[in-house]
Amino acid sequence: MCKVKVAIIGCGAISRFRHIPEYIQNKNVEIIAYCDTTIERAEAYALEYGGRFYKDYKEMIDSEPSLQAVSVCTPNSTHAEMTIYALNRGIHVLCEKPMAATVKEAQQMIEAAKSNNRILMIGHNQRLMAPHVKVKELLVNGNLGKVLTFRTTFGHPGPETWSVDGKESWFFRKEEAVMGALGDLGVHKVDLIRWLLEEEIIEVSAMIDTLDKTFSNVEDHANCLYKTESGVTGTMVASWIFKKGEDNSTILYCENGTIEVGTHQEYQVIVRLINGEIQKYQVGAIATNDKGGQRDSRVIEEFIKSILNNMSPLITGEEGMKSLNVILHSIKAANEKRTVSILSPSNVTSK
């Protein structure tokens, strides 16, 4: 079987810790090029792993006739233009989250994938992590009954602790990042809850602020209250101000007990039934941003599998757009200081 020829656009931390090593580990992949506006970063990877390096993504795509797929790992504001350019030239795209700055951009990305018969996958890795896969299995089993409410959190000390640019990172500049902790972390947990509950979030209240990263012009902390189609309500916290480490936990309160994930170091999933029974599962830890917590996210594996088998990816552009839409409405609710109904993406006209 011929290897899928892949290139990386954006050679920052997410490429270093996730995309590049996972592509290299995949026997069906050959990375043939790297691109970054700071060309020295692209050159360093090319020298280390082989391949060519570029400063301009358009030049790279147009200069590599054998190129079949790219990872877009750049500032959020550039995701749409780069993705659409690649798709229009017959290249499959794995785009980091949030997939775009607006729903309109997301729709354009999806249309480009459809019109060119190419795969567009969004890097929402939470639903692929072993503990969350186990939780999904438990919910599908039905023994716990209906989910009544939930709380989910994703917080860490902030991008400056792991970004290649530290406090100078694009994450802290709204013109490039578009949004802060909500786009970086919150969209992951929204995608997870939507997937676990198998229903859409239709109403949101939120409070967002910049509490600690005073050098930044994006939010570093968000508290959101969500309501789903069936009336399930729950909270989501996305934060860059958890100074003492990462919290990537979720608790589902169900009719017949609770499911805890990411609350215990040894047992990644714990079920507490109303009859007093406790079930503990060791299924592998959730990947973290700590060096010791970098584990295979399965995103690359699934992306390449979808290309080789010519099938829809596990996290489609449509799924990415729905999660983005919730985050954009969360920001709207916070800015307008009111509860807002979430229109479906097909009914949204983005600014």
Side-chain angles (χ1 to χ4, degrees):
M1 181 182 294
C2 295
K3 292 187 176 183
V4 179
K5 303 297 192 296
V6 173
I8 307 291
I9 305 176
C11 296
I14 195 66
S15 292
R16 175 195 296 174
F17 293 124
R18 291 281 167 83
H19 290 254
I20 293 174
E22 290 184 29
Y23 277 129
I24 290 173
Q25 291 165 13
N26 193 305
K27 64 181 181 180
N28 296 313
V29 171
E30 179 186 355
I31 305 179
I32 63 171
Y34 303 85
C35 178
D36 198 284
T37 52
T38 303
I39 196 169
E40 292 80 9
R41 292 175 185 166
E43 182 180 13
Y45 286 126
L47 290 173
E48 183 174 0
Y49 300 114
R52 289 163 291 281
F53 59 94
Y54 298 84
K55 186 174 183 178
D56 182 85
Y57 76 95
K58 292 181 179 179
E59 180 187 356
M60 182 189 72
I61 291 173
D62 295 340
S63 300
E64 297 288 348
S66 66
L67 183 62
Q68 296 169 276
V70 297
S71 273
V72 174
C73 306
T74 55
N76 303 334
S77 63
T78 65
H79 286 179
E81 64 175 77
M82 292 179 175
T83 295
I84 292 169
Y85 190 89
L87 291 168
N88 283 341
R89 278 149 186 80
I91 307 298
H92 303 292
V93 177
L94 170 59
C95 182
E96 268 299 330
K97 51 72 207 170
M99 69 180 290
T102 66
V103 167
K104 182 177 180 180
E105 284 186 350
Q107 290 170 328
Q108 291 170 341
M109 293 163 72
I110 293 167
E111 180 53 39
K114 289 181 178 178
S115 61
N116 292 286
N117 194 28
R118 287 298 179 264
I119 289 164
L120 170 61
M121 179 169 167
I122 311 303
H124 286 296
N125 57 37
Q126 292 275 316
R127 60 168 77 183
L128 300 176
M129 294 180 183
H132 296 145
V133 172
K134 182 62 179 179
V135 172
K136 179 79 166 183
E137 176 189 314
L138 292 168
L139 290 175
V140 171
N141 177 274
N143 290 338
L144 282 142
K146 176 181 170 58
V147 176
L148 302 174
T149 186
F150 63 86
R151 66 177 177 87
T152 188
T153 300
F154 201 171
H156 59 53
E160 72 270 33
T161 62
W162 57 269
S163 171
V164 294
D165 294 314
K167 287 187 176 182
E168 301 303 315
S169 173
W170 60 264
F171 278 94
F172 301 112
R173 298 190 293 271
K174 190 171 185 177
E175 60 272 21
E176 295 172 76
V178 183
M179 58 199 91
L182 276 171
D184 181 33
L185 305 177
V187 73
H188 268 315
K189 302 318 288 265
V190 164
D191 188 73
L192 175 66
I193 290 299
R194 290 182 49 252
W195 177 67
L196 288 176
L197 271 57
E198 295 185 354
E199 56 180 306
E200 299 302 327
I201 296 168
I202 62 168
E203 201 169 287
V204 57
S205 300
M207 291 187 290
I208 64 175
D209 210 337
T210 306
L211 302 174
D212 183 63
K213 317 297 182 188
T214 53
F215 54 86
S216 170
N217 63 351
V218 295
E219 82 283 349
D220 62 12
H221 186 81
N223 291 73
C224 303
L225 175 63
Y226 294 135
K227 181 179 181 180
T228 72
E229 295 168 299
S230 69
V232 179
T233 59
T235 60
M236 188 277 287
V237 173
S239 184
W240 288 342
I241 65 173
F242 288 12
K243 301 284 190 175
K244 282 295 185 178
E246 186 168 304
D247 181 353
N248 191 349
S249 63
T250 299
I251 301 179
L252 304 176
Y253 300 88
C254 308
E255 291 175 309
N256 300 322
T258 63
I259 307 176
E260 302 173 11
V261 56
T263 62
H264 192 280
Q265 188 170 1
E266 183 178 0
Y267 300 103
Q268 295 81 30
V269 179
I270 300 175
V271 176
R272 303 180 189 276
L273 298 172
I274 58 175
N275 64 8
E277 180 185 350
I278 299 177
Q279 302 169 355
K280 299 179 179 180
Y281 300 93
Q282 293 178 309
V283 293
I286 297 173
T288 73
N289 285 314
D290 300 327
K291 289 183 179 179
Q294 295 298 333
R295 297 175 179 83
D296 188 348
S297 69
R298 287 187 55 212
V299 169
I300 300 302
E301 174 190 347
E302 292 298 334
F303 178 52
I304 297 302
K305 187 187 298 184
S306 66
I307 294 172
L308 292 174
N309 294 296
N310 191 28
M311 64 183 191
S312 179
L314 286 183
I315 305 104
T316 63
E318 288 83 353
E319 284 295 287
M321 179 171 63
K322 290 175 182 177
S323 295
L324 169 67
N325 192 38
V326 174
I327 291 301
L328 293 175
H329 277 79
S330 301
I331 295 171
K332 176 182 174 68
N335 290 340
E336 297 181 1
K337 294 180 171 55
R338 66 183 182 91
T339 299
V340 300
S341 297
I342 299 180
L343 300 173
S344 68
S346 60
N347 295 324
V348 173
T349 301
S350 276
K351 294 181 180 179

